[in-house]
Amino acid sequence: MSTFFERIKNLNLLRRVVYGVVGVITYPGVALINKLQVNGAERLKDLPKRNVLFVSNHQTYFADVITFLHIFFAAKWGKYKGLGVPYYLLNPITKIYYVAAAETMKDTWLTRLFASAGALTVKRTWRAEGKEVQRGLDPGDTRKIARALNDSWVITFPQGTTKPFAPGRKGTAYIIKQNQPIVVPIVINGFWRAFNKKGLKFKKKGSILSVTIKEPMNIDYNAPVEEILDQVMDAIEQSKKYMLKGKHHLMSVIDK
């Protein structure tokens, strides 16, 4: 039993170190070279510490989730409008996981380092090694996410792609239906303008990175997965009714 707890302690220590290193490397790009605007971060303080699922639209492979972690860490220290001096990296939250494609997390040394902290790597159900494939929902992947939700927060991107207004994947709705988490929508913008697709290189410095954390969703967990998915896509403003609704969405589509 003592060995088990030592492993848990070491894991938390590892994650603190990794998040600290990645945080220091990425902080300038998020808060100094570009301009971060955060709305709704005060809602984080009222959330329980487990079984919370954050769902968001997706604009880069890594910059999105790294920015979320900065915001979550800062909120732990009572910073809700911005990041300020990143002393929060000295003691970051460790009970946060994020869903990512397994092949993506093997991309560079930085992504492999980042994956060692809180990545829930899953097999892409629609693409693998650059080729289109058809797979069913992997039970092992859903169990992995369920275990993480059992005692932590989890971040996921229902579209599974950086293409704006791409359809959502039913896997997210299945996870919501089966685990009944508190679902918190996040809407982002400006990341596609500031970073390249991977989110590891600058494309346009001085861009505004907008992150809006919305109220938790009111979900009927007994509803069909299609209905739950439609509700999620509406909440992250990626449904058909939001398509080309605003100039920033139009420019986003053109840029892709």
Side-chain angles (χ1 to χ4, degrees):
M1 184 63 73
S2 59
T3 303
F4 172 78
F5 284 114
E6 281 300 315
R7 289 177 180 175
I8 296 298
K9 185 189 297 183
N10 291 338
L11 175 61
N12 286 335
L13 177 60
L14 169 66
R15 295 175 74 180
R16 284 193 178 95
V17 171
V18 171
Y19 282 146
V21 171
V22 174
V24 168
I25 293 171
T26 58
Y27 176 82
V30 173
L32 301 178
I33 297 173
N34 294 297
K35 301 174 183 177
L36 179 63
Q37 293 182 350
V38 183
N39 299 294
E42 64 278 358
R43 296 187 174 112
L44 297 172
K45 65 182 178 182
D46 298 322
L47 296 174
K49 295 182 179 180
R50 57 175 297 277
N51 208 29
V52 178
L53 182 69
F54 294 91
V55 293
S56 175
N57 60 315
H58 205 17
Q59 295 190 345
T60 73
Y61 289 170
F62 302 109
D64 310 2
V65 69
I66 287 173
T67 301
F68 293 170
L69 292 175
H70 275 286
I71 293 170
F72 294 172
F73 297 162
K76 176 185 176 182
W77 292 79
K79 295 184 176 185
Y80 302 118
K81 295 300 180 183
L83 303 182
V85 178
Y87 56 76
Y88 54 81
L89 293 174
L90 296 173
N91 187 25
I93 303 171
T94 58
K95 294 287 188 173
I96 302 178
Y97 293 87
Y98 54 93
V99 179
E103 62 185 75
T104 303
M105 299 312 293
K106 300 175 183 177
D107 199 41
T108 67
W109 70 267
L110 181 59
T111 60
R112 289 193 291 269
L113 175 66
F114 192 35
S116 68
L120 298 172
T121 54
V122 299
K123 299 184 184 73
R124 284 180 168 175
T125 57
W126 65 100
R127 193 169 178 82
E129 298 178 352
K131 298 179 181 179
E132 296 295 329
V133 296
Q134 295 294 327
R135 290 198 194 109
L137 192 67
D138 191 314
D141 289 342
T142 57
R143 286 194 296 270
K144 187 187 302 184
I145 296 170
R147 285 195 296 269
L149 280 170
N150 191 52
D151 69 349
S152 308
W153 291 358
V154 173
I155 302 166
T156 191
F157 301 93
Q159 292 165 290
T161 175
T162 58
K163 183 178 179 181
F165 303 104
R169 305 291 170 173
K170 287 185 180 180
T172 298
Y174 278 113
I175 290 166
I176 293 172
K177 188 176 179 68
Q178 292 172 3
N179 297 281
Q180 301 186 9
I182 293 174
V183 181
V184 180
I186 301 179
V187 177
I188 65 171
N189 198 42
F191 289 81
W192 60 271
R193 185 183 292 109
F195 302 98
N196 67 351
K197 189 172 183 177
K198 291 182 179 179
L200 299 176
K201 294 182 180 179
F202 297 116
K203 192 164 69 172
K204 183 180 179 181
K205 298 179 181 180
S207 299
I208 295 175
L209 307 178
S210 171
V211 178
T212 300
I213 301 171
K214 294 185 172 183
E215 292 278 2
M217 296 174 62
N218 183 15
I219 295 178
D220 177 5
Y221 299 111
N222 295 316
V225 291
E226 293 82 5
E227 185 177 318
I228 293 174
L229 182 59
D230 287 344
Q231 189 178 354
V232 167
M233 298 305 290
D234 244 7
I236 64 173
E237 300 183 10
Q238 291 294 297
S239 60
K240 289 182 180 179
K241 80 175 186 180
Y242 282 97
M243 189 179 292
L244 305 183
K245 189 174 182 180
K247 182 179 178 181
H248 60 290
H249 284 145
L250 174 60
M251 295 306 296
S252 172
V253 174
I254 291 173
D255 183 76
K256 296 298 179 183

